[in-house]
Amino acid sequence: VYEVSTVVTSITDRAGDLSGVRNLLAELARTHALAPSLVTDMQIALDEVLSNIFEHGFIDGRPHQIRVVLSLTADILTAEVEDDCWPFNPLSVEPPETRASLHARTVGGLGIHFVRSLTDEVHYSRVRDRNRLVLRKHLNESRTEVDDGPA
Amino acid sequence: MDLREEALGEVTVLAVKERIDSTTAPVLGDRLVELVARRRVVLDLSGVEYVSSAGFRIFLLAAKQADEAGSQLVFCALTNKVRQLFELGGFLDLFRIIDSRQDGIAAVS
């Protein structure tokens, strides 16, 4: 994969769900024959990031826009997610408690934990009244590479 | 997501396919919570591509519900990717995880 490819999409309401973004990523993956495991990791990370914005950013009941840009270079798959919701850095969320007993266990922080674990880089910035999160997967050092077959 | 149910005596095998993510988890959650209240449940994940945190939220809810109801819930046939996610979330030791569907059914029968 040596060319650069970029796709952009916008989500303006919860009802738009995430299938549009997932389809774009799948299409990009197909066109450039990206490793399935790498694509799955990015798909999960995007699901976590976008559902987090829906849950926390859209609670003021006002219309918002999320802009997703997927780009591919020879070495890196990048997803940039920008929203116009109130300032929120998801990377500031406390890591989940993964050792508590069944009844004490919650999934608070699990989504961001997945994002951090499944991507090679994640950066947050607040740019011109927008939250900007950049996720990267390195094509050649996918540390989470596994087969998709049964364990 | 695709759900398929099979009743075997007092056990229900719920086979899930494709993705358990923020869009599909609520549907699975509703069914799972309903089932574990009165049945022993084997959740067959062999056809699942991945589980997001929204999926683990409903797994946790269903496991607590099963425990309270004195019922049983086991997870079986995890793919490598799904197993990796269970591990990342610290769920391998928390939930009952069985290698195959058949062993899962035997475990709760």
Side-chain angles (χ1 to χ4, degrees):
Chain A
V1 184
Y2 294 105
E3 65 235 74
V4 175
S5 185
T6 302
V7 285
V8 182
T9 187
S10 286
I11 305 167
T12 51
D13 66 282
R14 185 72 176 95
D17 81 39
L18 308 176
S19 56
V21 173
R22 197 173 55 241
N23 291 341
L24 278 178
L25 179 58
E27 181 61 32
L28 191 70
R30 221 178 354 258
T31 307
H32 299 279
L34 300 180
S37 175
L38 178 142
V39 178
T40 300
D41 287 349
M42 185 59 98
Q43 228 172 71
I44 298 169
L46 279 170
D47 183 271
E48 301 295 356
V49 168
L50 293 171
S51 59
N52 209 38
I53 296 171
F54 289 138
E55 197 172 331
H56 299 290
F58 280 47
I59 49 172
D60 56 11
R62 289 156 61 178
H64 288 288
Q65 192 183 54
I66 307 172
R67 184 169 181 266
V68 181
V69 179
L70 302 175
S71 56
L72 184 69
T73 64
D75 308 317
I76 297 175
L77 171 65
T78 303
E80 294 172 38
V81 181
E82 271 191 19
D83 68 73
D84 58 359
C85 304
W86 58 285
F88 178 67
N89 177 2
L91 303 180
S92 66
V93 171
E94 291 285 315
E97 173 52 72
T98 54
R99 295 199 182 148
S101 67
L102 180 65
H103 286 271
R105 187 75 70 99
T106 69
V107 291
L110 185 64
I112 287 304
H113 177 59
F114 278 174
V115 172
R116 286 181 189 275
S117 306
L118 299 173
T119 59
D120 294 306
E121 292 176 50
V122 51
H123 308 284
Y124 170 82
S125 55
R126 180 80 183 168
V127 185
R128 294 185 303 276
D129 294 332
R130 295 175 73 87
N131 297 302
R132 184 166 190 266
L133 201 65
V134 178
L135 314 171
R136 292 204 171 93
K137 283 293 281 184
H138 299 176
L139 268 51
N140 298 322
E141 47 178 283
S142 184
R143 60 189 173 179
T144 53
E145 199 68 36
V146 289
D147 293 330
D148 276 342
Chain B
M1 185 185 64
D2 176 60
L3 291 182
R4 204 150 296 182
E5 269 180 56
E6 191 183 346
L8 303 160
E10 291 175 10
V11 179
T12 295
V13 179
L14 186 58
V16 192
K17 281 191 176 156
E18 300 171 12
R19 298 166 297 272
I20 304 176
D21 59 16
S22 60
T23 310
T24 60
V27 178
L28 173 61
D30 287 349
R31 188 63 193 133
L32 199 51
V33 163
E34 200 173 58
L35 275 176
V36 294
R38 52 194 176 79
R39 309 269 302 168
R40 296 175 203 165
V41 178
V42 174
L43 195 60
D44 179 352
L45 300 179
S46 60
V48 173
E49 200 182 327
Y50 62 80
V51 182
S52 79
S53 64
F56 285 103
R57 177 175 288 123
I58 60 119
F59 287 175
L60 198 54
L61 193 71
K64 287 177 182 176
Q65 173 105 2
D67 199 47
E68 280 160 21
S71 182
Q72 297 193 60
L73 170 65
V74 300
F75 299 79
C76 73
L78 279 58
T79 59
N80 286 339
K81 176 58 78 181
V82 169
R83 180 172 287 273
Q84 179 201 11
L85 295 164
F86 269 74
E87 187 176 8
L88 274 177
F91 295 110
L92 283 181
D93 296 329
L94 192 73
F95 295 143
R96 280 181 77 192
I97 296 164
I98 312 277
D99 282 347
S100 71
R101 174 187 173 112
Q102 201 172 358
D103 289 347
I105 295 165
V108 297
S109 294

